[in-house]
Amino acid sequence: MQRVCFLLKVRPDRLDEYRERHRTVWPEMQDALRATGWHNYSLFLREDGLLVGYLETEDFDAARDGMAATEVNARWQAEMAPFFEDLDGRPDEGFVTLVEAFHLD
């Protein structure tokens, strides 16, 4: 299982709305994530807008490609894009992945 961590930056003036949107993630979006191999997926948001995402998947490239091919993901990404700073395109294409330095099993 591949562990993936990524970073994005939410605009400070949109933090509350971002949190609210993620309290009510569309069921069809959640289903698509599960179906394309996104497991144990979490988002962590710092007060300054730093967003840390974490997920586990068998194949991250395949999981990303699978989501990119869904209509629900295109709608979700279009709605979420205005929430982020320094983003050229869709959030799912603009995040910075981190290299794992240590893991305690």
Side-chain angles (χ1 to χ4, degrees):
M1 187 70 70
Q2 204 176 351
R3 290 178 300 279
V4 179
C5 185
F6 63 85
L7 302 176
L8 284 164
K9 184 76 187 299
V10 177
R11 296 177 188 281
D13 62 324
R14 306 288 305 263
L15 291 173
D16 290 338
E17 186 181 358
Y18 184 86
R19 285 185 193 100
E20 183 57 35
R21 292 283 189 100
H22 283 80
R23 282 186 200 79
T24 57
V25 174
W26 307 331
E28 62 269 31
M29 182 62 173
Q30 293 181 44
D31 291 344
L33 287 163
R34 287 184 191 99
T36 57
W38 296 62
H39 306 289
N40 201 25
Y41 184 27
S42 297
L43 296 173
F44 302 89
L45 184 59
R46 200 166 68 180
E47 286 303 312
D48 67 353
L50 178 66
L51 181 75
V52 177
Y54 174 84
L55 67 119
E56 296 171 357
T57 186
E58 292 295 327
D59 181 337
F60 186 48
D61 290 334
R64 287 180 77 176
D65 291 347
M67 281 304 293
T70 67
E71 181 273 333
V72 68
N73 187 61
R75 285 189 291 121
W76 181 264
Q77 297 305 322
E79 287 201 17
M80 291 296 107
F83 285 86
F84 295 98
E85 291 182 357
D86 303 321
L87 185 65
D88 186 22
R90 295 170 21 162
D92 63 339
E93 296 170 340
F95 55 68
V96 176
T97 56
L98 303 178
V99 175
E100 184 175 75
F102 175 77
H103 174 75
L104 176 66
D105 195 19

